[in-house]
Amino acid sequence: LLAEALVARLDALDENARVASANARTVAAYLVAHPLVHRVAYPGLVGGEGYEAAHAIMHDGFGPRVDWQDLDGAWHTVRLSAGDDARGVCASLPVCA
């Protein structure tokens, strides 16, 4: 029973990581298209810096963290979780205020 419970918990962690990664990908795509964003660093951006290497080694998503640079040159980081609403996160970013 303990082993089964552990496997179920690991499966849930894997699913949460996949959903958090999908949320981060959504936010990264939003930021790439935003006119007040100079640069976005996220390994899951097709054609982005490091995408080919990340795609070759990361099979369950590209992680929950997105770094982005505003037009003033300041870098910002947003970390997403499985419970985040990606659209809500986008709306709350400093470039949207």
Side-chain angles (χ1 to χ4, degrees):
L1 284 174
L2 182 59
E4 290 175 10
L6 181 58
V7 168
R9 179 74 175 128
L10 290 173
D11 287 344
L13 287 173
D14 285 346
E15 180 60 20
N16 285 343
R18 281 190 288 278
V19 172
S21 180
N23 286 340
R25 188 174 53 246
T26 299
V27 170
Y30 170 81
L31 288 168
V32 164
H34 198 289
L36 298 178
V37 174
H38 175 66
R39 187 171 167 200
V40 177
Y42 183 69
L45 291 172
V46 176
E49 185 177 324
Y51 173 77
E52 293 300 324
H55 182 68
I57 60 173
M58 302 173 93
H59 302 289
D60 290 326
F62 296 96
R65 178 180 165 166
V66 180
D67 296 309
W68 56 278
Q69 186 180 35
D70 62 28
L71 295 178
D72 293 328
W75 280 93
H76 307 268
T77 297
V78 61
R79 220 176 240 288
L80 291 105
S81 71
D84 287 328
D85 169 38
R87 289 183 183 177
V89 170
C90 291
S92 71
L93 294 172
V95 290
C96 298

